[in-house]
């Protein structure tokens, strides 16, 4: 299964454009930027501040010879007004309301969109009911009521001010809820709409997203509810609350929409992915996992349709038409399904989108598997293990299909390995919890076993608690993945290597239409994936399962110096000695890992130092957990 030229060229174009998007292309992609252009009319702004003298940037007395930056005239005028007025109006509690000050913050941010203090000053106004109600268009007219210059001195300037005020100052009606009182949610909605073009135009800037996040957090903190959590239990409940008390709906403050707009420009934007992830986890109904009855019913339906099988795991089958059928594995309808489907859509558009892969993995691990483990107390452990294995197997197969489709893409390999280790940890914890004699709750752990440093004692010497066949069974997905990588993905990678190495000019041109030179140089990725998967297995055995007796037996059977004689000599030493099953299994896979690492020293020459370190680590069994 190889991608068509059209599909690969489309994916490569998407990947390249996201990495090298220029400011001009970003601007042209974000639609109407007239609202921001209004803030370039500094002359009209100055008609509102004729009674204010700008303050020049202070010189540093400690470094008088320091070269001063020559800013533009407009920048100096706007920042000069800001310096003059900030001592009077800046601050969350002591400042008086002023429509002119609120408007000035927008002009300051237009000149310097990374100005944290200006963003903070603006938030202080938006979140203070008295200050914001005193910063409306009506308030400005009252504030400037006695100004001859404003009313009759320059009709042209006043005419130019009108669209600025309409865009950057709210009406009182924009801020009041159904009861006529100030509504913080309506204020947040108005501000979101006002600064939206800042986000679309400066989407790589941290401050523009931090501003939106802080506004939402404060609005949530002020939400009037005897049980704050109950409102966030479902979209329906929260939407009803917003409509009844604030006359807006959830769609008005749904940040997924603006994140989606930015992803059309740059679908790998780190700041926007962080913002989206934060948003969906702040409103938990957006990532609500399926209930256990739904999971059990879905599994029963699928197994009935597929028929009974004697195989412990459903076999992996390469889908030749994956380009058209590449939707993620189904789970019962829920908020989490919608978010997972969204990541699958982005991955379909560009399978090299590592940001989408990372977001998907985080959702699957934290919000599906771990959440399901922590709510399974009423289910039989056998049913829980069966359902989790089914979910992880489907997700692993999804990633492996992408590995076959594009064998040079590291993201899909990492995802597949991560899913296999998620199931291994879940299955192990389920068994330990069913046989636990102490008070420790294994299912309550919120991090992976490999992330625990130092490793807790209850995860050590598991040979004394877990039979070998049970422990090996927790690695069922790892073992199947090793077979798929060896039998299916490696053959596709080698086929690609041969076609590029032996191809004529036309073949090479066709290859470059489908893949970048970086991808063509990354054909060894499948061997690295196999090594890392073996390393996961070896590390778990050495640190978690073995006791000192097994470790001593390993070192006696195959001391590090034996590897100097070659992999064949090491393999022969294993076959000649009677060994425990777990020790033999460990050593056989260690030899495989060593062979792959040695191969990668040559094939992945740019990282040869890394692979030499891995060889030394495996040879001396220097695993960090122990």
């Amino acid at each position: 299964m190889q991608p068509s030229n059209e599909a690969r060229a489309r994916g490569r174009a998407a990947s390249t454009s996201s990495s090298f998007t220029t400011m001009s292309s970003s601007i042209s992609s974000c639609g109407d930027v007239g609202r921001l252009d209004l803030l370039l009319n500094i002359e009209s702004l100055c008609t509102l501040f004729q009674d204010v003298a700008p303050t020049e940037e202070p010189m540093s007395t400690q470094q008088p010879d320091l070269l001063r930056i020559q800013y533009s005239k407009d920048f100096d005028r706007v920042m000069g007004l800001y310096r003059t007025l900030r001592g009077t109006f800046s601050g969350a509690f002591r400042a008086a309301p002023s429509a002119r000050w609120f408007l000035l913050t927008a002009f300051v941010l237009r000149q310097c969109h990374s100005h944290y203090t200006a963003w903070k000053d603006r938030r202080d106004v938006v979140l203070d009911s008295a200050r914001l109600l005193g910063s409306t268009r009506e308030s400005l007219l009252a504030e400037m009521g006695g100004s001859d210059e404003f009313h009759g001195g320059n009709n042209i300037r006043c005419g130019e001010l009108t669209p600025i005020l309409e865009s950057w100052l709210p009406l009182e009606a924009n801020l009041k809820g159904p009861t006529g009182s100030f509504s913080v949610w309506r204020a947040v909605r108005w501000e979101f709409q006002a600064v939206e073009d800042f986000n679309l135009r400066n989407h790589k800037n941290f401050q523009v997203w931090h501003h939106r996040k802080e506004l939402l957090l404060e609005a949530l903190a002020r939400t009037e509810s005897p049980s704050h959590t109950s409102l966030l239990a479902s979209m329906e409940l929260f939407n009803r609350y917003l409509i009844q008390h604030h006359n807006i709906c959830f769609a008005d403050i749904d940040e997924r929409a603006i994140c989606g707009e930015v992803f059309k420009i740059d679908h790998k934007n780190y700041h926007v992915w962080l913002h989206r992830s934060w948003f969906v986890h702040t409103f938990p109904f957006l990532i609500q996992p399926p209930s256990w009855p739904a999971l059990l019913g879905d599994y029963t339906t699928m197994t009935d349709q597929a028929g009974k099988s004697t195989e412990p795991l459903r076999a992996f089958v390469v889908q030749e038409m994956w380009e058209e059928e590449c939707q993620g594995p189904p789970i019962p309808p829920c908020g989490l399904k919608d978010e997972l489907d969204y990541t699958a859509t982005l991955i379909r558009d560009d399978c090299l989108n590592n940001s989408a892969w990372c977001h998907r993995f985080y959702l699957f691990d934290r919000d599906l598997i771990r959440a399901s483990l922590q709510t399974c107390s009423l289910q039989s452990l056998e049913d829980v293990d069966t359902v989790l294995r089914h979910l992880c197997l489907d997700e692993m197969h999804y990633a492996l299909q992408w590995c076959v489709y594009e064998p040079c893409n590291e993201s899909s390999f990492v995802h597949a390995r991560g899913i296999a280790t998620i199931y291994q940890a879940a299955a192990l914890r389920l068994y330990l919890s069913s046989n636990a004699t102490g008070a420790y709750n294994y299912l309550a752990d919120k991090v992976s076993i490999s992330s625990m440093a130092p490793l807790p004692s209850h995860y050590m010497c598991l040979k004394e608690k877990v039979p070998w066949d049970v422990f090996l069974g927790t690695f069922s997905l790892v073992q199947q993945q090793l077979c798929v990588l060896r039998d299916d993905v490696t053959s596709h990678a080698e086929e690609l290597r041969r076609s590029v190495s032996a191809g004529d000019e036309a073949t090479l041109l066709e290859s470059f239409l489908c893949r970048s030179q970086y991808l063509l140089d990354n054909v060894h990725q499948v061997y690295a994936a196999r090594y890392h998967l073996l390393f996961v297995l070896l590390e778990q055995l050495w640190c978690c399962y073995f006791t000192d007796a097994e470790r001593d037996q390993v070192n006696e059977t195959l001391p590090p110096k034996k590897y100097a004689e070659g992999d064949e000599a090491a393999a022969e030493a294993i076959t000649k000695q009677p060994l425990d099953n777990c020790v033999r299994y460990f050593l056989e896979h260690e030899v495989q890992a060593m062979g792959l690492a040695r191969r990668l020293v040559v094939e992945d020459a740019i990282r040869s130092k890394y692979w030499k370190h891995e060889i030394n680590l495996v040879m001396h069994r220097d695993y960090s957990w122990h």
Side-chain angles (χ1 to χ4, degrees):
M1 176 180 64
Q2 291 295 332
S4 66
N5 290 344
E6 180 182 356
R8 291 298 309 135
R10 183 174 64 249
R12 183 183 176 189
S15 177
T16 304
S17 65
S18 68
S19 301
F20 300 100
T21 301
T22 62
M23 180 59 72
S24 60
S25 64
S26 298
I27 295 171
S28 64
S29 300
C30 67
D32 179 23
V33 293
R35 185 188 291 263
L36 289 183
D37 288 342
L38 292 173
L39 299 176
L40 296 176
N41 191 341
I42 309 303
E43 295 298 332
S44 295
L45 173 71
C46 289
T47 62
L48 297 177
F49 292 93
Q50 296 186 30
D51 58 333
V52 179
T55 300
E56 292 187 2
E57 182 180 14
M59 288 288 293
S60 173
T61 57
Q62 296 179 348
Q63 297 175 309
D65 298 329
L66 188 67
L67 181 65
R68 300 189 66 176
I69 300 175
Q70 296 298 313
Y71 295 106
S72 68
K73 180 181 178 181
D74 286 345
F75 182 94
D76 285 335
R77 292 169 74 183
V78 172
M79 295 306 297
L81 293 172
Y82 180 69
R83 294 187 197 101
T84 300
L85 296 175
R86 188 168 185 274
T88 303
F89 294 105
S90 182
F93 302 106
R94 59 186 176 85
S98 170
R100 290 197 300 170
W101 167 253
F102 188 49
L103 183 63
L104 179 61
T105 61
F107 278 85
V108 171
L109 292 170
R110 181 63 180 86
Q111 295 296 321
C112 181
H113 55 259
S114 298
H115 201 303
Y116 172 80
T117 307
W119 282 112
K120 179 63 167 60
D121 287 338
R122 187 169 180 86
R123 275 198 302 281
D124 288 342
V125 175
V126 173
L127 296 172
D128 187 315
S129 58
R131 293 186 68 186
L132 188 56
L133 288 172
S135 302
T136 60
R137 283 178 240 168
E138 296 93 335
S139 300
L140 180 67
L141 293 176
E143 188 177 340
M144 301 298 294
S147 172
D148 294 335
E149 294 85 353
F150 181 70
H151 282 284
N154 192 332
N155 290 329
I156 296 177
R157 290 296 177 209
C158 290
E160 292 177 350
L161 267 175
T162 300
I164 298 176
L165 302 183
E166 290 176 349
S167 296
W168 291 100
L169 288 181
L171 292 169
E172 285 188 11
N174 298 141
L175 309 176
K176 293 182 177 180
T179 62
S181 59
F182 175 79
S183 164
V184 67
W185 282 107
R186 289 184 66 82
V188 168
R189 181 189 67 165
W190 181 87
E191 178 68 358
F192 276 6
Q193 294 171 346
V195 302
E196 179 179 359
D197 286 344
F198 274 113
N199 293 87
L200 294 175
R201 191 169 196 176
N202 309 292
H203 50 82
K204 292 184 183 294
N205 184 283
F206 166 76
Q207 296 298 340
V208 298
W209 301 105
H210 179 71
H211 181 66
R212 301 177 80 94
K213 176 181 177 180
E214 289 295 309
L215 289 172
L216 278 174
L217 284 174
E218 186 61 29
L220 278 171
R222 297 184 190 181
T223 297
E224 313 93 352
S225 171
S227 176
H228 177 80
T229 306
S230 64
L231 280 180
L232 300 179
S234 71
M235 170 85 77
E236 182 182 0
L237 284 174
F238 191 62
N239 198 50
R240 185 189 308 158
Y241 164 79
L242 291 176
I243 293 172
Q244 290 179 353
H245 296 273
H246 302 279
N247 200 24
I248 65 171
C249 59
F250 181 72
D252 294 327
I253 50 100
D254 190 348
E255 290 292 87
R256 294 176 300 173
I258 191 171
C259 290
E261 288 300 311
V262 175
F263 288 149
K264 294 176 183 178
I265 305 169
D266 179 4
H267 57 241
K268 300 179 183 178
N269 189 305
Y270 176 74
H271 294 301
V272 185
W273 274 111
L274 283 180
H275 187 70
R276 184 184 180 100
S277 180
W278 166 82
F279 182 79
V280 298
H281 286 92
T282 299
F283 295 90
F285 52 77
L286 296 176
I287 50 167
Q288 184 70 34
S291 65
W292 269 105
L295 286 171
L296 290 169
D298 185 64
Y299 173 73
T300 302
T301 301
M302 293 191 69
T303 52
D304 288 345
Q305 291 175 350
K308 300 298 181 181
S309 173
T310 58
E311 294 292 329
L313 286 180
R314 177 168 48 83
F316 175 81
V317 179
V318 174
Q319 296 184 26
E320 297 296 337
M321 301 301 293
W322 182 246
E323 183 181 330
E324 287 79 22
E325 303 169 359
C326 54
Q327 285 300 317
I331 63 173
C334 58
L336 182 60
K337 172 180 168 54
D338 296 337
E339 190 68 8
L340 287 171
D341 287 347
Y342 179 71
T343 63
T345 300
L346 293 181
I347 291 170
R348 180 195 61 200
D349 294 340
D350 178 12
C351 65
L352 304 179
N353 187 347
N354 188 57
S355 299
W357 281 108
C358 290
H359 185 60
R360 184 178 182 87
F361 180 80
Y362 185 66
L363 292 170
F364 192 89
D365 179 23
R366 179 188 184 277
D367 302 304
L368 181 57
I369 302 302
R370 273 192 258 167
S372 299
L373 273 176
Q374 292 169 16
T375 57
C376 69
S377 58
L378 299 179
Q379 315 302 323
S380 72
L381 293 182
E382 182 180 357
D383 284 345
V384 173
D385 180 73
T386 300
V387 168
L388 295 187
R389 183 171 64 247
H390 161 72
L391 291 171
C392 291
L393 184 66
D394 278 354
E395 183 68 14
M396 186 182 79
H397 283 187
Y398 167 77
L400 288 174
Q401 294 289 353
W402 280 114
C403 293
V404 177
Y405 179 82
E406 179 48 87
C408 305
N409 179 20
E410 185 178 7
S411 298
S412 52
F413 287 108
V414 172
H415 189 79
R417 179 170 69 251
I419 298 302
T421 57
I422 285 174
Y423 172 71
Q424 190 275 329
L428 180 60
R429 283 169 170 158
L430 282 170
Y431 180 84
L432 291 172
S433 66
S434 66
N435 294 273
T437 56
Y440 188 79
N441 183 5
Y442 289 93
L443 300 184
D445 285 340
K446 295 184 178 180
V447 296
S448 63
I449 297 174
S450 59
S451 300
M452 295 180 171
L455 186 67
S457 59
H458 49 264
Y459 284 119
M460 293 181 180
C461 301
L462 292 180
K463 188 175 187 294
E464 300 171 352
K465 308 174 188 177
V466 184
W468 169 239
D469 61 329
V470 173
F471 188 78
L472 188 60
T474 66
F475 283 96
S476 56
L477 268 65
V478 171
Q479 294 178 93
Q480 186 188 82
Q481 187 176 150
L482 282 169
C483 294
V484 172
L485 293 177
R486 182 193 63 215
D487 300 335
D488 295 303
V489 185
T490 300
S491 61
H492 280 77
E494 290 301 331
E495 179 185 345
L496 174 62
R497 190 202 302 269
R498 286 191 298 271
S499 66
V500 173
S501 300
D504 54 19
E505 185 175 345
T507 304
L508 290 175
L509 179 60
E510 182 178 352
S511 298
F512 280 116
L513 287 174
C514 297
R515 294 176 175 87
S516 66
Q517 183 63 55
Y518 172 79
L519 286 180
L520 293 174
D521 291 340
N522 216 29
V523 178
H524 58 265
Q525 194 60 239
V526 62
Y527 297 105
R530 288 166 59 183
Y531 167 82
H532 287 302
L533 202 57
L534 286 167
F535 186 89
V536 167
L537 194 154
L538 295 172
E539 189 177 42
Q540 282 266 5
L541 278 169
W542 187 264
C543 297
C544 295
Y545 193 72
F546 284 172
T547 64
D548 288 339
E550 283 73 40
R551 296 189 191 99
D552 291 341
Q553 190 177 9
V554 166
N555 288 324
E556 291 172 5
T557 304
L558 200 61
K561 62 181 181 180
K562 192 68 176 178
Y563 278 110
E565 302 175 17
D567 293 343
E568 292 184 2
E572 185 178 354
I574 298 171
T575 58
K576 288 182 177 180
Q577 300 189 42
L579 302 169
D580 292 345
N581 289 337
C582 59
V583 173
R584 184 177 300 279
Y585 185 87
F586 176 90
L587 289 172
E588 289 173 350
H589 286 78
E590 183 181 83
V591 171
Q592 293 180 38
M594 283 292 293
L596 289 166
R598 284 172 168 166
R599 175 175 187 151
L600 286 160
V601 169
V602 178
E603 293 200 12
D604 189 10
I606 198 170
R607 291 190 293 180
S608 60
K609 186 175 181 180
Y610 168 80
W611 291 115
K612 289 176 182 177
H613 169 75
E614 292 297 304
I615 289 173
N616 188 64
L617 190 154
V618 173
M619 181 186 300
H620 295 280
R621 292 139 195 152
D622 187 19
Y623 299 106
S624 58
W625 294 359
H626 184 59

